[in-house]
């Protein structure tokens, strides 16, 4: 598969998702095909996913992207088989682009890869509110709760009011 990714602002680049064969001879055919394809691409281009080949590349996230089955004795093989490669044009077009290996999903033996062509802001989740049982010991807690809690509104709204007042 070979895709053309287009942005609303009119910019575009090529993307080729890879799932290489674990059999070396077939994998060599893929590399030959990719080499031939690369000779005709002068636009930004990225290839990503499972190359089934061991290489050293720097990315953010977990060190390994694949885990094998558990063998006798409880041993397991871990490798970095998934990666993203790009040409110079892609790097020039997206100088703040990044690749991050995400947390592996339980039902899958590979980690997903997140490709961000532009610098993506890292959203900060709001700090989760936690009830402190020590508040129950404070004399003012019961009074505050009675003042905040309204019998004519739903429980979720009441809890938001209590949370706001406790903060």
């Amino acid at each position: 598969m070979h895709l053309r990714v287009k942005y609303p602002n009119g910019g575009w680049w090529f993307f080729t998702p890879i799932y290489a064969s674990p059999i070396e001879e077939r994998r060599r055919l893929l590399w030959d095909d990719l080499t031939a394809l690369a000779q005709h691409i002068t636009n930004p281009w990225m290839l990503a996913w499972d190359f089934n080949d061991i290489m050293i590349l720097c990315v953010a996230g977990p060190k390994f992207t694949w885990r094998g089955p558990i063998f006798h004795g409880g041993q397991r093989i871990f490798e970095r088989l998934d990666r993203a490669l790009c040409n110079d044009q892609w790097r020039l077009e997206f100088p703040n682009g990044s690749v991050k290996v995400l947390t592996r999903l339980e039902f899958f033996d590979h980690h997903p890869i997140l490709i961000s062509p532009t610098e993506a802001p890292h959203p900060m989740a709001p700090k989760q509110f936690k009830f402190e049982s020590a508040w129950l010991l404070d004399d003012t807690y019961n009074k505050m709760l009675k003042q905040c809690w309204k019998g004519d509104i739903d429980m979720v709204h009441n809890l938001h009011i209590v949370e706001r007042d406790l903060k």
Side-chain angles (χ1 to χ4, degrees):
M1 190 175 355
H2 187 61
L3 310 168
R4 184 175 172 190
V5 180
K6 187 172 187 228
Y7 285 98
N9 68 359
W12 61 273
W13 52 285
F14 287 117
F15 177 68
T16 307
I18 302 293
Y19 183 74
S21 173
I23 299 167
E24 188 172 349
E25 282 186 29
R26 291 184 186 165
R27 195 168 53 245
R28 191 167 296 140
L29 291 173
L30 171 69
W31 283 109
D32 291 345
D33 289 345
L34 291 174
T35 302
L37 183 60
Q39 293 177 13
H40 301 287
I41 294 180
T42 58
N43 298 94
W45 181 35
M46 178 174 277
L47 307 89
W49 202 36
D50 185 357
F51 284 85
N52 253 323
D53 222 339
I54 301 167
M55 300 164 60
I56 305 298
L57 287 168
C58 298
V59 298
K63 180 178 179 181
F64 302 112
T65 64
W66 174 83
R67 72 174 194 179
I70 296 176
F71 293 100
H72 299 292
Q75 298 296 319
R76 190 187 294 264
I77 297 173
F78 293 90
E79 295 291 350
R80 181 180 291 278
L81 300 178
D82 306 306
R83 61 188 47 82
L85 305 172
C86 66
N87 64 5
D88 293 340
Q89 290 78 10
W90 195 94
R91 203 62 181 135
L92 290 169
E93 181 75 22
F94 306 105
N96 295 322
S98 65
V99 176
K100 183 174 184 182
V101 178
L102 303 177
T103 303
R104 187 183 59 80
L105 303 170
E106 193 58 40
F107 56 86
F108 197 52
D109 60 353
H110 290 261
H111 287 252
I113 295 175
L114 176 65
I115 299 167
S116 299
T118 58
E119 189 173 28
H122 299 286
M124 296 295 288
K127 189 174 180 182
Q128 191 173 10
F129 175 77
K130 294 182 182 177
F131 179 81
E132 297 287 339
S133 58
W135 293 337
L136 295 171
L137 301 174
D138 190 302
D139 294 337
T140 61
Y141 175 76
N142 283 332
K143 183 179 176 185
M144 182 277 308
L145 186 60
K146 286 178 184 174
Q147 287 176 345
C148 291
W149 202 270
K150 311 290 184 218
D152 58 340
I153 59 174
D154 65 280
M155 184 173 70
V156 172
H157 191 112
N158 272 318
L159 289 172
H160 285 296
I161 294 170
V162 170
E163 176 186 351
R164 182 197 64 211
D165 285 6
L166 283 170
K167 286 180 177 178

